[in-house]
Amino acid sequence: MLEKMEILHVEKVIEEFETMTKDAENVQRETLKKILEENGSAEYLQNLGLNGRTDPQSFKACVPVVTHQDLEPYIQRIVDGASSLVLTGKPITTISLSSGTSQGRPKFVPFNDELMETTLQIFRTSYAFRNREFPVTNGKALQFIYSSKQSRTKGGLFAGTATTNVFRNSQFKKAMKVMQSQCCSPDEVIFGPDFRQSLYCHLLCGLIFREEIQLVSSTFAHSIVHAFRTLEQVWEELCVDIREGILTSGITFPSVRSAMAKLLKPNPELADLIHRKISGLSNWYGLIPELFPNVKYIYGIMTGSMEHYLKKLRHYAGDVPLISADYGSSEGWIGANINPNVPTESTTYAVLPNIGYFEFIPLKENVEEQVHDRGDANILSMEPKPVSLTEVKIGEEYEVIVTSFAGLYRYRLGDVVKVMGFHNSTPELKFICRRNLMLTVNIDKNTEKDLQQAVEEAAKLIAEEKQEVIDFSSHVDMWTDPGHYVIFWEISGEVSDEVLKECCNCLDRSFVDAGYVSSRKVNAIGPLELRVLRRGTFQKVLDHYVGLGAAVSQFKTPRCVGPTNYKVLQILCDNVAKTYFSTAF
Ligand code: AMP
């Protein structure tokens, strides 16, 4: 009886979601009212002349659309311990470091209890829909989750990545329990100071509890693939630990060692079984169900820049379904995946109209062209007005603007989404790409998505040789005249020069944007350059971000490295093994 009471009432969650989404416009209006009432005393809002008005029209007339850069002075004051209420009605005590992979340095954003509550609401909503299709029983989850370094700011606030702030919150554990998705690893592993050691222990815990594991998850799919690539390297060591019941000496942190000692008992049968199972695999295909026979699905964000890892993840997953997790950011959540059955690449996110106030800037090709290469502020002044949540149109692309319960008002998230349909009256969004990630030399424009498609196309050539692109990035080299695109690849093994030359040509041909093709034809853009990196280079990039305070849980490989991101550019350039120039044009 007690057990039953602790389980989330999924039908109730779905019912609430249905009611709310049938009335999305009103719920949005009410949500804005609530945000403005709760935070009306904040200096930022006080100065904008709202004078207590909370309706969308007044809000849009008084409050400017901003970028993170615009808010930085306000956020910095909070970080430094401002005594007044700067952005919110209640003091901010915690700061999130967003991954900021593209800019090369983490950004600060406020975190508060309201944001935590909306996080849990998103988790509950998608879980409810997911559980209808793929019910989990009271087992464990192998979660590759990690904490970032937690620090105190100058003003005494806690600072960590958003995922760390969530994992550390006592509500998180409770929520995972009622969703029957509790992490199989002890807290000391999740919050261990060294992510490599934590990863090793996560794997070990997963194997110890292999029969009980119901799902394998991480925030972003990259971490799952990274984990199983690591398992390929360390599985024999893991088997030795299980056989002897003694943790490898490579795990050095006393807190992690003592937590693991409680779980690890000599178990030669289990070690033999795992050894046999892994030895029986062909090229690691189906590794996950082989090791975890009761796993129901694999869960993590799989769209956008994570799509690259899907091929490898499918290989490890065999016939276990892959389900993309929800859509959000350190700044706040946006939508939940309520159609877990659709193929991962087609995942959409239904916006929850009560977790923030949402607006959308329509992205029309002609406007983009006019404003090409200008600063953010200019882009906005020439762009169409943002539309509200219920005004978006199916088939159109938009940039998302968020107003949150944590002190961000009309904040440009920088993500491009496409409206694929409506669930009741709330839109279902497909994540397209980051807006500011753009390869451009002159009149050409290639987005993160275009880059990914080009890489996918060229990678087919090395797939014929049983090799894969482990990870990739890009850069625009303007030091040459004319400038040209540089694509960085890390490949799993040896590939002949001949094939790589062909890959380079294929990449060049795969950017089909008219501006690119015409510029290439007249040599206004130079031949595309493919730089093949030494194995382990992207691990160094990851280490670099972790060193800056990022968490592996939130890591996204920067798909385009800007000229000011010196450190990452240097890591990439210092590790080039081979270089090819396209002869496609
Ligand atoms: P962070 O800065 O670490 O908070 O990451 C937030 C960013 O990750 C978002 O602005 C998106 O660009 C990306 N992201 C988050 N959720 C998804 C998703 N479901 N699909 C694709 N990209 C996502």
Side-chain angles (χ1 to χ4, degrees), residues 183 189 273 378 559 569:
C183 184
V189 169
L273 180 76
N378 289 339
R559 292 295 182 222
L569 208 51

Side-chain angles (χ1 to χ4, degrees), residues 35-51 59 62-63 74 85-89 409:
I35 292 174
L36 295 179
E37 280 173 359
E38 281 180 14
N39 300 296
S41 55
E43 171 195 317
Y44 184 79
L45 288 177
Q46 287 276 315
N47 289 341
L48 291 171
L50 273 165
N51 298 326
F59 177 66
C62 297
V63 179
Y74 297 91
L85 298 170
V86 182
L87 289 171
T88 47
Y409 308 97

Side-chain angles (χ1 to χ4, degrees), residues 146 189 191-199 253:
Y146 311 88
V189 169
F191 301 112
D194 178 294
F195 91 87
R196 287 164 204 258
Q197 297 195 18
S198 292
L199 166 55
F253 289 97

Side-chain angles (χ1 to χ4, degrees), residues 71-84 86-87 92-95 108-110 152-159:
L71 292 186
E72 236 167 3
Y74 297 91
I75 298 177
Q76 195 58 49
R77 280 175 51 211
I78 298 174
V79 168
D80 292 344
S83 53
S84 56
V86 182
L87 289 171
I92 294 286
T93 55
T94 308
I95 287 288
F108 290 136
V109 289
R152 288 266 192 174
T153 70
K154 193 173 127 195
L157 282 75
F158 286 105

